[in-house]
């Protein structure tokens, strides 16, 4: 994915989150994640991505620290 594609996708994600609202954001993100996960070939492709995201959350990524 090019930087332009990544920027376009991220912008679309932000806009969609705004449209669904804060109260439905967790549901939206869960549905999106399941949809994206289903495109991978096997669970072994998913596990490192889950671990990476979890580590980033535990390390405070995105919370201004």
């Amino acid at each position: 994915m090019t930087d332009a594609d990544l920027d376009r996708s991220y912008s679309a994600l932000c806009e969609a989150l705004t449209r669904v609202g804060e109260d439905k954001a967790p549901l939206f993100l869960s549905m999106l994640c399941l949809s994206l996960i289903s495109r991978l070939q096997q669970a072994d492709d998913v596990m490192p991505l889950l671990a990476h995201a979890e580590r980033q959350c535990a390390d405070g990524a995105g919370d201004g620290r």
Side-chain angles (χ1 to χ4, degrees), residues 5-24:
D5 287 336
L6 187 58
D7 184 60
R8 181 177 165 213
S9 299
Y10 180 75
S11 294
L13 172 62
C14 292
E15 291 166 5
L17 282 167
T18 298
R19 285 191 299 272
V20 301
E22 188 175 344
D23 59 325
K24 291 188 180 174

Side-chain angles (χ1 to χ4, degrees), residues 21-39:
E22 188 175 344
D23 59 325
K24 291 188 180 174
L27 174 61
F28 171 83
L29 291 171
S30 295
M31 293 170 69
L32 176 61
C33 286
L34 286 173
S35 178
L36 294 171
I37 285 170
S38 73
R39 295 174 180 268

Side-chain angles (χ1 to χ4, degrees), residues 56-65:
Q56 286 191 305
C57 286
D59 291 343
D63 65 3
R65 287 195 242 177

